[in-house]
Amino acid sequence: MKEKVNSIIEQLKLRYPDAPCALHYKKDYELMISVRLSAQCTDARVNLVTPALFAAYPSLEAMASADVAHIEELVHSCGFYKHKARDIVLACQMLLRDYGGKVPDTMEKLLRIPGVGRKTANLLLGDLYGTPGSVVCDTHCIRIASRLGLTDGTKDPEKCEQQLRRILPPEESSDFCHRIVLFGREICTARSPQCAQCPLRSWCKEIK
């Protein structure tokens, strides 16, 4: 398994030398907000919405005191806008009240923030702090990890995270997940995977 994992990581590095987060942000809390908006929504849509949102509320203090109804208008196209708008304001208020105006750097503290689950927390830890072992299990990661036999096929994000954490080198985990997203969008798509041109096809359980 170790040899297999290392080979997959190297193939992904060759195809995607850089592993940037797909969400656009300049400040730590902006990434937190963007990840919340991305739930059941594409990163591309979020990146279209956030410039106006961050321009309207250019500081953490402004976002924390924002009118939730106005936030709802700005993020409406991301779906589930009422829940997301409420969580954004409450989360920013918590950052100011409890965390000195900074996104915290531990899983325990992050999970206290409204709208932050393990997926969001792992992404924040990996991208903001470079925390080793940060595994972000989105739909691409869950699907492709199963196809490659890196997990037992579970569709449960937390179980997938636990299984990948056991086999991925901690220092590679965060970038691996970003590369898997790129790979899932370009090659191993959910509906029409490009198996003939897949550099990982020799490890895929679904190719006969």
Side-chain angles (χ1 to χ4, degrees):
M1 176 62 79
K2 182 178 181 180
E3 182 179 347
K4 173 181 178 178
V5 169
N6 288 338
S7 296
I8 289 172
I9 288 173
E10 289 309 310
Q11 285 295 322
L12 290 172
K13 282 183 175 181
L14 285 173
R15 193 169 194 93
Y16 311 105
D18 299 315
C21 178
L23 296 167
H24 301 163
Y25 68 97
K26 294 180 179 178
K27 304 171 185 176
D28 60 351
Y29 72 88
E30 290 182 350
L31 179 58
M32 178 191 71
I33 290 170
S34 294
V35 181
R36 179 66 186 99
L37 291 174
S38 71
Q40 304 299 312
C41 179
T42 66
D43 291 345
R45 167 56 57 184
V46 173
N47 289 335
L48 290 174
V49 167
T50 50
L53 174 64
F54 296 152
Y57 301 98
S59 69
L60 180 61
E61 291 78 8
M63 198 74 74
S65 60
D67 178 3
V68 173
H70 187 226
I71 299 289
E72 289 177 2
E73 293 177 16
L74 293 172
V75 305
H76 188 278
S77 64
C78 291
F80 301 98
Y81 62 95
K82 288 186 177 294
H83 293 294
K84 292 179 179 180
R86 179 200 62 199
D87 285 345
I88 286 170
V89 173
L90 290 176
C92 291
Q93 290 173 352
M94 178 175 277
L95 292 188
L96 288 171
R97 184 182 67 246
D98 298 345
Y99 298 134
K102 294 288 294 179
V103 174
D105 60 358
T106 69
M107 178 67 72
E108 180 182 8
K109 291 179 179 179
L110 285 166
L111 291 179
R112 292 184 57 222
I113 299 174
V116 173
R118 291 193 65 86
K119 172 188 166 184
T120 299
N122 273 305
L123 191 146
L124 294 172
L125 290 172
D127 280 55
L128 297 178
Y129 298 108
T131 303
S134 301
V135 178
V136 182
C137 287
D138 72 342
T139 54
H140 294 293
C141 184
I142 292 170
R143 181 182 73 255
I144 297 169
S146 174
R147 286 180 172 177
L148 295 175
L150 301 180
T151 65
D152 63 7
T154 181
K155 294 184 179 180
D156 180 270
E158 189 165 347
K159 290 181 180 178
C160 181
E161 176 194 335
Q162 293 169 352
Q163 292 175 26
L164 289 176
R165 196 186 295 275
R166 287 196 289 267
I167 62 174
L168 290 174
E171 69 278 6
E172 298 283 359
S173 298
S174 181
D175 286 348
F176 171 85
C177 294
H178 284 318
R179 290 185 173 104
I180 280 291
V181 170
L182 296 173
F183 182 70
R185 289 173 177 163
E186 181 193 9
I187 302 293
C188 195
T189 60
R191 294 183 180 178
S192 303
Q194 308 300 307
C195 299
Q197 54 181 296
C198 176
L200 306 181
R201 67 193 316 272
S202 61
W203 294 287
C204 183
K205 299 191 305 180
E206 298 187 16
I207 296 179
K208 304 302 181 181

